[in-house]
Structure formats: structure tokens, C-alpha cells
Amino acid sequence: MTEVNSPPRVGGWTRLVTARPRLSLLAALVLTALAVLAGGGVADRLGSGGWEDPDAESTYATKALEREFPASQPNFLLLVDAGRASVDDPAVAAEAERIAERLAREKGVIGVGSYWQAEPSAAAALRAKDGHEALIAARLTGDETAMGETLDRILPSFRGTHGPVEVKVGGMVAVRHEMQTIIQEDLTRAEVIALPVTLVLLVMVFGSAVAALLPLGIGIVAILGTNAVLRGLTEFTDVSIFAMNLTTALGLGLAVDYALFIVRRYREELSRGAEPLTAVGTTLRTAGRTVLFSALTVAVSLAAMLLFPQYFLRSFAYAGIAVVLLAAAAALILLPAALVLLGHRVNALDLRKLFRRGRPSKATGTPGTAEEEGTGWARTASLVMRRAPFFALGTTAVLVLLGLPFLGVKFGTADDRQLPSSAESHVVQQHIREGFPGSPGGGLEVLAEGGATKAQYTAYKQRITALPDVLRVEGPLVKGDSAYFTVQPEGEPVDDPAQRLVGELRETDAPFDTEVTGTAAVLVDSKDAIAEQLPWAAAFIAIVTLLLVFLLTGSVLIPLQAVVLNALSLTAMFGAVVWVFQDGHLSGLLGFTSPGSIETTLPVLMFCVAFGLSMDYGVFLLSRIKEEYDHTGDHQQAVRHGLQRTGGLITAAAVILAVVMVAIGTSRVTNTKMLGLGIALAVLMDAMIIRSLLVPAVMRLTGRATWWAPGPLRRLHQRFGLSEGDGSAEASATRVKEEERDKVTQG
């Protein structure tokens, strides 16, 4: 009773994707070339912001102040350094005023002011404590692209030495522009690092240079296609530059995952004596279904970020969904066509012959089969199941312990400390932070609308001056029915007192409408927006994941196990993020400046990406366990067989993805470094701890109850469910009965 001698089965989908393999590959080549053209210059159209809630009070106030009082929120700063002289020296003052006048004449620059031109009450905040540095402030207008173009145009004229002063450039526009430039450079370097290392690892995994090139081809198609999608989206909405990092990482990582799974299954079928076309058909009916389910689970996790208002998070959803679907489509359409053309030559340039001894396999000419290669994983599964309580409790305790630092997380905003310490805008902002009184630029602005008398403005100013943690209040500056006050909090601009002050200002009675903005207000509103949507996003991920895993397995318990264990696998990542990036441990080794907090949107992003990748590996393992259980009805043998067949595959895929993420993590921008290194840790923990130890231990403890489902749900799965098994549930039951009858006959 073997499938080798059964007649070839070539389904409709197989015929569709393999009928004209050369034409399919040529069409893919043409589409890829078009994607290169369509996605050209995409990085120049991406933004470096997107952390704020567009519907928040702070966002409304910011736009209103920009419209009515353009000088109220400068986003561009010139740090004028007089050296050993005083900024009040006549020669220094004269040169600084000339620079300010030139800046005011530049197109796209408004609201120019400086220490030398400011009112005495405001001038103190623009002068360094030592008296050797002072600031010129302005606002660049337009969207991020327009501001970047303005900055590129004016920088050569203002940066550098001007008579008795040295001028450096800072402000949020300069920070974001420098961040965008560095990310593009770092991404190119990451690709240069990741591609050759990935190829070497693939050769080691496949043993064949030809087979190793297939995942890289799939990844390149997915990355280039996603760049074209992002370029198109920039015509309609804002997209973050950070999304390109996810495109590269997931494009390579998921292409490797899917190609590994499909090519491994194809080679297994060849080793059983199947012809290439039949092997492709069986592979698509089995591993192909698993890849489709895996892509859907990853896409669901990433789609949850569409529920959040910040375009930083939404951008990762755009990029992630596009790259996942393109990688899966390429793996299910282009890869089968390539395998049909290659046939047995997929094993060409088999390098394993150089390193292994023993007689070649009769079927493939390669030294060993998948079963022989997985004996170590089978022994691991047997050991874990023999000591299931120990491994279940032990690994859970370790993971919880590793996640404890996250209990001390502090949320903040992305600022210049994301940049390397040598970056000019970071140097300027650090000078301002340490050397200027009251953190200029870190104050809160209160917009007053509706009109009021001078006495009413004065009374309101007295009330907010009396609030705790207020250092000083400036204003009001009145224009028609609008006015604004600048409130300087004590301490850091985004620490807990500053955030409390935002709420107190919003609750203070006033005879006019008030809206509060500023760095702390943006942070408060961003945290509130995330807290509001987080339960919905978590519920969306959980419900759809439970449904997909049920359709894959037909079990009620397995989907619950998958969600809980996947979430548990992320504890080490979150604990490490706080311990390293918030608390500053290893900052010298990794080369970053710790701001003492975690940017508010990063944990949400990292959870969605890492959870999706964990489900990716979970689907690979569960599909093979389910296939074996359908064939044998032996629960423990199914778990052992599933780990034997996929343990090495999942580990190899995780290591390769971790290499890509570590390459991304070499970025000089802290958020990107955190994203890359954090997810690398998460996927390694998932593959080596969760899939190898915790899943088999838990499934051994739950026993045959693992596969239970009530009657209505069983019938639902029989009608709509899919699995990696090559046939229906009824056919599987028939095979089990036949095998049992054969055993009795042989006995």
C-alpha cells in the first residue's frame, strides 16, 4: 500500500501552474521588471514620522497653530556656536542676525526667530547656560517630501563656519531627514550582508546549489513587488520609511520558509519514485495548502495594525500584507513551474556528497533521506514526551522569567536619540537638552479659540501657572479670535509629570475652547489611541487565528494551544527590549543611545510581526502532525513524526530569518535595531524552545483529547477544512482501517 504505485494525480491547480512553465517564468520576469520600474525611488516618497494619532486633540491643535501662528512650533533649528566668545558679542550678534535674515528669505521657510530678536521673556530659553551658544528657530512648510527638498536646498548655505560663529543644524525636520537617509543606507548594507549569508545557509540546508537559489528568487520577486505596491500607496496615503525594513526582512524570510517547505516536500516525493509532475501535484496538495494557511495567518497578524490610526503602524500592515501574499503567490505559482522544468536536476550540484559518507539513496542519488536526517528530532520528541510535565513547566517558567523586565516598561516618543551619537541633528538636540534652560522645544502649547478679553486671558494664565510641575507660562499671543500660551513643564518634556500636566491643562476651566499640544500631549494621545484599539486588534488576531487553525486541524484544543503558546514565545523578546533598549544594558556593545523609554508603537508592531511568524512555524509543524495522525490514528507517533519531518526545517528557516533580522538590526537607528534584534530573538526562541520542547510536551499532556471537537464542528471541518493530508477525512479514516486490517492479516 504505497502512493508510489498509484496512478499520477494532477489537480486543476497543478495543471494551471505547470501547463506552460516557461511561459509562467517569463511572465514573472516581465512583471518583476515592471515592478522595478514602478517601485523606483519609493524610498524618497516615504515619510519618517507617523507616530501621532491624526484624529487626536494634539494633532488638531498642531495644525491650527501651524496655520494661525506659524512661528509657534519651529521644526528647524540652527545652533549658533560662538566658541569662546559670548553670544552677546557685537560681532557674533551681527553675524547671527544676518544668518536669520537670509533664512527668512528662503522659499518654504516661515516664522524665523532667534535669541537676538526675541522678547526678553522668551530669549532666555534660546540662550545656552554657558552663554556661548544660542538658537535660530524657524518652520519649514509643506509635507515631509517638501520639507526634505527645502532642507537639502538650504543646508549647504547655512551649515558650517560663518565669520566668528559655527552653525550646526537641528530640529525635528533635520532629525527625521537624517533618519531617513541613514535608514536607506543601512537597508542597503543589510541586504548586502543578508543575501550572501542566506545563500550559504540555504546551500547548507538543501545541500544543492540549484535548490538554494530558488528561495532567493522568490524573495527578490516579493521584495520588488512590494516596493511597487508601496510606491502606488504613496499616491493616496502616507507610508513610513521604516516599512522598507519589514519588506526586506519578511520578503527574504518568508520566501525561505515557503520555498524550504515546498522544495523539501517535492524532494521527498521524488525520493519515493514519483515523476516530477506527479511530485509537484502532491506537493501542492499537501505543502502548498500549508503554505497558503501559513500566509493567511501571518497576513492576519499584520492586518491587525490597520486598526490603529498612526500611519507608522498602518505602513507596516501595507508592506507586510503585500510581501506575505506576494511571497506565497510566488511560492505557489512560480516555484512549481521551476520545479517542473528542473525535475531531478533540483538536486544538481549536490554538495552533501563532499561531506557525507555512505552509499547514496537509490531514489535520489543523495546520501540519506528525510527520515534519516530527522532521527535526532524524533529522539528529542520522544525524550520530551517521556518527561512532558518537566519540560512544560520548566520552559514556561523560563519564558515568564525572561519576560519580567517588561513589567517596568516606560513609553515615550521617537526623538533624536534614535540616531547615532555622531549624527549632527542628534548632537544639536543633545546640546539643547543638556545646555539650555527648560528644554526649548519641549514645552506644551495651549490653543485658545473663540475669542476672549484681555482679563479673561490673564485669569486663565494665572490658573495654569499655579498648576503643579509648571516652570513658566508665556503668552498669550493673540490673533483674531485665536490665541496660544506656551507652558514649560519642569523636568524632561515627556516624563510622567509632563504627561500629567497635559491632563491638568485639558481639565482647567476656561471661558473659551482650549486644545493642548506639544511633545508630551502627542505621547498621551498616542498612548490613548493604542490603548483604545489594542483590545480590538488582539481580539481580531485571536479569533481569526483560532478559526484558521481549526480549519487546518479540526480540533478545538489545538487552536487555543497555538494562540497561548505563540503569545508565550514573545515574552523573551519583550523582556529583552526593555532590559536592553530602555534600561541601556549592552548599549555600548550594540552602539545606541538609550532614551530611557520605548517608543509607544514599537511593542504593537513587534507583537504583530513576531506573532505572525510564530504562527508560520506553528502551521508547518501542526500540518505534518495532523497528516500523520490522519494516517495512523496514533497521537504520540504523530507528534514524533511531525517534529521529525519539520524540526530541522523550522530551525533552519528560523536561523535564516534571524540572520536577515540581525542584518536589519545592524542599523544605526535605534528603532530599527530594536525591531531587527527583537524579532530575531523571538523567532529563535519560538523555533528552538516552543516548537521543539513546549509543543510536544503540551500535546503529550493533552493526549488524544487534543483532537476532540463537538459533532457540529467536526462536520464543519469535514466540509470546509483543509490540511496537509492528501485526501479527505473519510479517506484518512479508510486508510487507518486498511492499515489496521493489514497488521491483523500479517499477524
Side-chain angles (χ1 to χ4, degrees):
M1 293 181 59
T2 63
E3 295 186 35
V4 172
N5 297 323
S6 61
R9 295 174 58 193
V10 180
W13 178 252
T14 305
R15 286 195 299 270
L16 180 65
V17 300
T18 60
R20 299 286 189 273
R22 290 183 176 83
L23 181 61
S24 297
L25 295 178
L26 179 61
L29 182 62
V30 172
L31 290 175
T32 303
L34 293 176
V36 172
L37 296 177
V42 61
D44 296 331
R45 298 183 60 87
L46 302 181
S48 53
W51 292 282
E52 66 279 354
D53 176 6
D55 298 322
E57 175 183 318
S58 57
T59 304
Y60 169 82
T62 297
K63 293 180 178 178
L65 286 170
E66 180 181 350
R67 181 179 62 252
E68 301 294 335
F69 305 96
S72 64
Q73 294 183 306
N75 55 17
F76 178 68
L77 300 174
L78 295 179
L79 178 67
V80 180
D81 185 352
R84 295 183 178 180
S86 168
V87 292
D88 296 315
D89 182 276
V92 172
E95 185 62 37
E97 289 177 359
R98 281 194 292 270
I99 294 173
E101 290 172 0
R102 285 176 48 213
L103 182 61
R105 292 195 295 268
E106 293 286 348
K107 182 180 178 182
V109 181
I110 61 175
V112 177
S114 73
Y115 161 71
W116 298 271
Q117 301 166 328
E119 295 293 331
S121 60
L126 300 175
R127 183 180 186 271
K129 298 173 185 177
D130 63 9
H132 299 302
E133 295 176 331
L135 294 172
I136 299 173
R139 183 168 189 86
L140 305 191
T141 60
D143 58 18
E144 290 192 29
T145 300
M147 288 189 288
E149 293 172 351
T150 301
L151 194 62
D152 286 333
R153 187 184 73 249
I154 67 177
L155 278 183
S157 302
F158 292 93
R159 173 189 285 152
T161 303
H162 298 265
V165 301
E166 180 79 16
V167 177
K168 294 186 178 71
V169 177
M172 187 51 66
V173 169
V175 169
R176 291 185 174 180
H177 187 266
E178 197 160 8
M179 191 180 297
Q180 189 172 23
T181 302
I182 290 176
I183 286 175
Q184 292 182 47
E185 295 172 354
D186 290 348
L187 185 59
T188 300
R189 186 180 70 249
E191 291 170 345
V192 170
I193 295 172
L195 285 172
V197 175
T198 299
L199 180 59
V200 170
L201 292 175
L202 286 170
V203 171
M204 294 173 63
V205 171
F206 281 119
S208 165
V210 172
L213 290 171
L214 296 176
L216 285 185
I218 300 299
I220 291 171
V221 168
I223 291 170
L224 295 177
T226 302
N227 285 342
V229 171
L230 293 180
R231 174 62 180 81
L233 287 173
T234 60
E235 297 291 336
F236 308 100
T237 187
D238 294 318
V239 181
S240 172
I241 184 71
F242 287 94
M244 292 192 68
N245 295 292
L246 188 67
T247 297
T248 297
L250 288 187
L252 285 176
L254 292 177
V256 167
D257 288 357
Y258 300 156
L260 272 174
F261 210 62
I262 287 177
V263 174
R264 175 67 68 88
R265 186 60 184 252
Y266 173 73
R267 294 171 81 178
E268 284 184 21
E269 297 302 321
L270 290 183
S271 70
R272 295 170 182 167
E275 292 300 316
L277 186 58
T278 304
V280 168
T282 303
T283 298
L284 286 178
R285 287 194 305 274
T286 56
R289 292 175 179 175
T290 301
V291 166
L292 179 61
F293 263 81
S294 173
L296 290 175
T297 56
V298 178
V300 164
S301 295
L302 297 172
M305 288 185 285
L306 291 173
L307 298 176
F308 296 94
Q310 294 92 335
Y311 87 73
F312 175 80
L313 287 176
R314 298 172 69 89
S315 298
F316 283 93
Y318 303 146
I321 293 171
V323 77
V324 167
L325 296 182
L326 287 171
L332 295 176
I333 298 174
L334 303 183
L335 190 53
L339 292 176
V340 168
L341 291 177
L342 287 172
H344 290 281
R345 288 174 296 177
V346 72
N347 296 317
L349 300 179
D350 195 335
L351 304 180
R352 292 178 298 185
K353 296 178 181 179
L354 300 176
F355 304 105
R356 292 185 179 177
R357 297 179 180 178
R359 299 184 63 180
S361 167
K362 293 179 182 180
T364 64
T366 60
T369 64
E371 289 84 352
E372 294 169 351
E373 294 172 2
T375 54
W377 289 104
R379 287 194 295 268
T380 298
S382 298
L383 172 63
V384 170
M385 287 191 288
R386 283 198 303 270
R387 302 287 187 268
F390 170 78
F391 281 101
L393 294 176
T395 52
T396 300
V398 170
L399 291 171
V400 170
L401 183 64
L402 292 174
L404 288 180
F406 192 72
L407 296 177
V409 66
K410 298 178 182 178
F411 294 109
T413 57
D415 58 21
D416 60 283
R417 286 169 289 191
Q418 296 286 321
L419 295 170
S421 57
S422 59
E424 181 181 3
S425 57
H426 174 64
V427 171
V428 170
Q429 297 301 124
Q430 192 67 22
H431 270 257
I432 295 172
R433 190 178 296 113
E434 296 175 351
F436 284 71
S439 299
L444 297 169
E445 285 82 29
V446 181
L447 174 66
E449 295 181 305
T453 65
K454 183 177 180 180
Q456 289 174 320
Y457 285 136
T458 301
Y460 177 73
K461 181 176 181 179
Q462 291 173 348
R463 285 197 293 273
I464 61 177
T465 302
L467 292 174
D469 303 312
V470 172
L471 181 64
R472 65 175 181 272
V473 179
E474 299 170 1
L477 183 62
V478 182
K479 180 181 178 182
D481 290 338
S482 299
Y484 82 93
F485 301 81
T486 300
V487 181
Q488 191 66 48
E490 295 180 346
E492 291 295 320
V494 293
D495 60 10
D496 290 339
Q499 294 181 52
R500 285 197 302 269
L501 181 57
V502 172
E504 292 166 354
L505 288 171
R506 289 173 173 172
E507 294 172 359
T508 301
D509 291 333
F512 37 74
D513 295 329
T514 61
E515 289 86 19
V516 181
T517 187
T519 307
V522 171
L523 174 59
V524 168
D525 290 340
S526 180
K527 289 167 62 176
D528 289 345
I530 289 176
E532 181 181 351
Q533 296 299 324
L534 191 58
W536 295 102
F540 173 76
I541 292 174
I543 292 171
V544 181
T545 299
L546 290 171
L547 177 62
L548 289 174
V549 177
F550 169 76
L551 292 176
L552 180 69
T553 63
S555 163
V556 171
L557 189 57
I558 288 179
L560 295 173
Q561 289 179 356
V563 170
V564 173
L565 296 184
N566 281 5
L568 187 61
S569 72
L570 308 183
T571 54
M573 174 186 72
F574 285 125
V577 161
V578 170
W579 190 78
V580 175
F581 291 96
Q582 175 181 296
D583 298 342
H585 298 101
L586 306 180
S587 58
L589 177 64
L590 298 177
F592 68 92
T593 301
S594 172
S597 62
I598 302 298
E599 201 282 315
T600 314
T601 59
L602 256 294
V604 175
L605 167 64
M606 297 176 74
F607 174 84
C608 292
V609 174
F611 188 91
L613 293 174
S614 296
M615 283 304 307
D616 187 43
Y617 300 140
V619 167
F620 287 171
L621 176 59
L622 291 173
S623 63
R624 291 308 290 261
I625 293 175
K626 177 67 165 58
E627 178 185 8
E628 184 65 13
Y629 184 75
D630 284 345
H631 279 75
T632 66
D634 187 331
H635 175 68
Q636 292 191 45
Q637 171 58 25
V639 175
R640 185 181 302 107
H641 177 84
L643 191 59
Q644 177 182 355
R645 289 298 184 91
T646 63
L649 187 70
I650 290 172
T651 302
V655 169
I656 293 172
L657 179 57
V659 166
V660 177
M661 296 308 304
V662 169
I664 298 293
T666 62
S667 173
R668 293 164 290 171
V669 176
T670 303
N671 270 359
T672 305
K673 187 186 297 290
M674 187 188 310
L675 177 67
L677 298 182
I679 293 180
L681 176 62
V683 297
L684 291 176
M685 293 295 292
D686 184 80
M688 298 181 179
I689 303 297
I690 301 297
R691 307 301 152 202
S692 303
L693 302 178
L694 197 52
V695 168
V698 170
M699 294 189 79
R700 172 65 181 86
L701 293 174
T702 54
R704 293 181 63 87
T706 302
W707 305 101
W708 177 84
L713 290 181
R714 283 201 304 271
R715 290 188 290 273
L716 178 68
H717 179 261
Q718 289 171 0
R719 182 173 182 181
F720 298 106
L722 292 173
S723 72
E724 189 163 330
D726 189 16
S728 65
E730 292 81 3
S732 299
T734 301
R735 285 195 294 270
V736 172
K737 292 178 181 178
E738 290 175 348
E739 290 171 1
E740 291 175 349
R741 187 181 59 208
D742 291 344
K743 291 178 182 178
V744 172
T745 303
Q746 293 172 0

